[in-house]
Amino acid sequence: MPYILPEDLIPWLSDRNIWADVPTRKIKRYWQHLKDVGSDLATASPQCDHHPLWIWGDAAHYNKEQNIIVICFGSVLDDNTDSIKQCFPLVLCREDL
């Protein structure tokens, strides 16, 4: 099953102006907010400079004998509302039932 690591995919998307161009100040403000509200996630970026990502997975019936599974990721700070421009697949596979 093919798998593309985010650290390989994000630069490729950025080079093609597909990845969200989020200013550093917005990223730092996000992490500072998590620290301010006491979120356990705040320690995930000690320097407050990592671009926060979301990951999502779902499965659906492909046919009577198979499911299809997709795992996607994107930028937490992307303001784009068009899901095709902010949801990037990492894994897509079929599973026998």
Side-chain angles (χ1 to χ4, degrees):
M1 164 177 43
Y3 177 76
I4 302 171
L5 296 171
E7 59 260 28
D8 295 330
L9 184 56
I10 292 172
W12 186 88
L13 293 168
S14 293
D15 290 346
R16 288 153 183 80
N17 293 320
I18 301 171
W19 184 252
D21 185 22
V22 178
T24 304
R25 63 177 163 68
K26 190 173 181 181
I27 294 170
K28 288 186 179 295
R29 188 171 65 229
Y30 172 83
W31 290 109
Q32 188 59 52
H33 170 73
L34 291 181
K35 285 182 180 179
D36 292 346
V37 298
S39 172
D40 292 338
L41 295 174
T43 59
S45 182
Q47 288 80 32
C48 298
D49 59 355
H50 293 94
H51 194 130
L53 304 177
W54 55 262
I55 189 165
W56 167 82
D58 201 1
H61 289 294
Y62 182 71
N63 60 33
K64 289 182 188 178
E65 294 87 28
Q66 293 180 327
N67 279 345
I68 190 161
I69 299 168
V70 63
I71 298 175
C72 299
F73 84 106
S75 168
V76 170
L77 301 174
D78 187 353
D79 294 328
N80 198 336
T81 58
D82 186 351
S83 63
I84 201 162
K85 294 180 180 177
Q86 75 177 69
C87 183
F88 306 102
L90 291 173
V91 176
L92 182 66
C93 65
R94 286 190 288 188
E95 168 189 53
D96 292 332
L97 297 175

